[in-house]
Amino acid sequence: MNGVARKVPSLDVSLGSLHLQLPTLMGSGCYGSGEEYAPFVDYAGIGGVVLKSVTRLPRLGNPTPRLSPTPSGMLNAIGLQNPGIDAYLAHDVAKFADRPCAVIGSVAGFSVEDYAEVTARLAARDEIDAIEINISCPNVGHEGETFACDPRLAERATAAARGATAKPLIVKLSPNVTDITEIARRVEAAGADALAVINTVRGMAIDVDRVEPRLGNASGGLSGPAIRPIAVLAVWEVARSVKIPIVGQGGIETARDALEFFLAGASAVSIGTGNFTDPRAPQNVTAGVRDYLAARGHAALREIVGLANAAFAGAR
Ligand SMILES: Cc1cc2nc3c(=O)[nH]c(=O)nc-3n(C[C@H](O)[C@H](O)[C@H](O)COP(=O)(O)O)c2cc1C
């Protein structure tokens, strides 16, 4: 090093007007309501928490069992269990005051009006820095994913949320579609500041001894390392289709996993299932990404966003 200290690469990132000190978000539904991890996690060591999705009315969720492990992942069918926006605002949101990281509220809905109303009410709270709309929940019957699977409805849900808040708006897309890029373009045109790519992949497991599905809901959403290649491809394709930043997610456990997403075109990443196996995964990702950047002489994470994608396009 000839006595010259190399600068530590910067990892800060902007998603619209949402500025993150670190590029690691905790995925919605995978961090409890955000406070359960407090004994294990230094919140200053993560970019932000995406809270559990909340709906207009309370939801009991799906019949149990709601989780089933699979090779390299897990199936879940929670069914958007939540207390509804009234109780959520009264009891839960205040717990997120003064967190040293971004706090992103997640809104789920069953109508365009739901997205407008719940977004407006949640975003009005000072504790909430940004809104993510979950238009892609696969575990609540067909209606949960209808918005993510129909370009026109995806656009309308986005426009409704956009009209309800000036805070940064992230829209979470489903992989369970024929052409994710068309949905991404429509959502961008409707005013989204960033895209979350991807939610879980529909799946099912059957208990052959009991001769019945392992999940009470029969089908569920697959997450974890099993879906990572699907997610990386989705980010790769979406990055070629839109200009707004992407939060890549699906099976990230390590820094090298996260780097795949950055190189494909994600500006930030989200860790969901990886938190269940290792609550320190976010810190390990941050440290490993910094080491990778430093070893290659990069001054900032943003220098490698989409690098593999651009290099591949240039080589063709
Ligand atoms: C148990 C569980 C609950 C989830 N709940 C939500 C939710 O409420 N809202 C949402 O947008 N995504 C939800 N997700 C999806 C995750 O946020 C994430 O997008 C997905 O699992 C892929 O990332 P991963 O492989 O890192 O988990 C849930 C995932 C799991 C495993």
Side-chain angles (χ1 to χ4, degrees):
M1 297 287 281
N2 300 329
V4 181
R6 251 196 213 155
K7 252 186 101 188
V8 179
S10 67
L11 300 185
D12 63 301
V13 52
S14 294
L15 304 174
S17 58
L18 178 67
H19 194 68
L20 304 176
Q21 294 302 324
L22 294 170
T24 43
L25 297 180
M26 304 304 106
S28 178
C30 301
Y31 224 55
S33 55
E35 56 176 350
E36 289 86 343
Y37 276 80
F40 311 106
V41 168
D42 170 14
Y43 281 86
I46 62 177
V49 180
V50 185
L51 307 182
K52 174 74 188 164
S53 295
V54 63
T55 50
R56 192 169 62 81
L57 298 175
R59 288 181 57 86
L60 290 174
N62 285 327
T64 57
R66 293 171 171 182
L67 299 178
S68 179
T70 65
S72 296
M74 66 186 239
L75 284 163
N76 93 81
I78 308 294
L80 289 177
Q81 180 184 355
N82 78 90
I85 189 67
D86 288 342
Y88 195 72
L89 293 176
H91 304 296
D92 293 318
V93 176
K95 295 173 186 163
F96 301 101
D98 304 325
R99 283 285 150 88
C101 66
V103 178
I104 300 169
S106 171
V107 172
F110 299 95
S111 67
V112 170
E113 292 73 25
D114 281 0
Y115 283 106
E117 180 185 332
V118 180
T119 296
R121 296 185 63 194
L122 194 53
R125 292 291 292 259
D126 288 343
E127 298 90 338
I128 301 293
D129 298 309
I131 294 289
E132 179 172 284
I133 60 169
N134 172 9
I135 60 170
S136 48
C137 183
N139 305 320
V140 287
H142 185 56
E143 72 266 38
E145 273 202 313
T146 305
F147 285 92
C149 297
D150 178 329
R152 201 175 43 88
L153 286 178
E155 187 177 329
R156 286 186 60 204
T158 306
R162 177 72 294 161
T165 183
K167 285 187 178 173
L169 177 66
I170 304 169
V171 179
K172 186 163 183 177
L173 303 187
S174 170
N176 307 314
V177 296
T178 307
D179 181 5
I180 195 171
T181 64
E182 184 189 356
I183 313 271
R185 279 191 295 269
R186 297 282 281 261
V187 165
E188 177 183 45
D193 294 303
L195 299 171
V197 179
I198 56 175
N199 208 321
T200 53
V201 178
R202 292 189 73 217
M204 181 188 241
I206 292 178
D207 184 326
V208 298
D209 298 315
R210 298 164 62 116
V211 194
E212 62 184 23
R214 287 189 182 275
L215 293 173
N217 186 56
S219 67
L222 183 62
S223 62
I227 71 167
R228 195 165 56 239
I230 297 170
V232 171
L233 174 61
V235 168
W236 176 280
E237 291 184 332
V238 169
R240 290 178 171 211
S241 310
V242 298
K243 295 203 162 48
I244 53 177
I246 298 167
V247 183
Q249 56 206 275
I252 296 175
E253 294 183 326
T254 68
R256 294 189 77 82
D257 299 340
L259 284 162
E260 286 195 54
F261 284 84
F262 293 128
L263 293 170
S267 295
V269 292
S270 178
I271 301 171
T273 307
N275 284 308
F276 298 145
T277 42
D278 181 6
R280 289 199 50 81
Q283 281 81 354
N284 294 339
V285 166
T286 302
V289 169
R290 266 214 175 97
D291 289 348
Y292 177 92
L293 294 171
R296 288 168 178 258
H298 292 292
L301 173 62
R302 61 185 79 88
E303 292 176 12
I304 68 158
V305 170
L307 205 57
N309 210 334
F312 189 82
R316 301 281 122 172

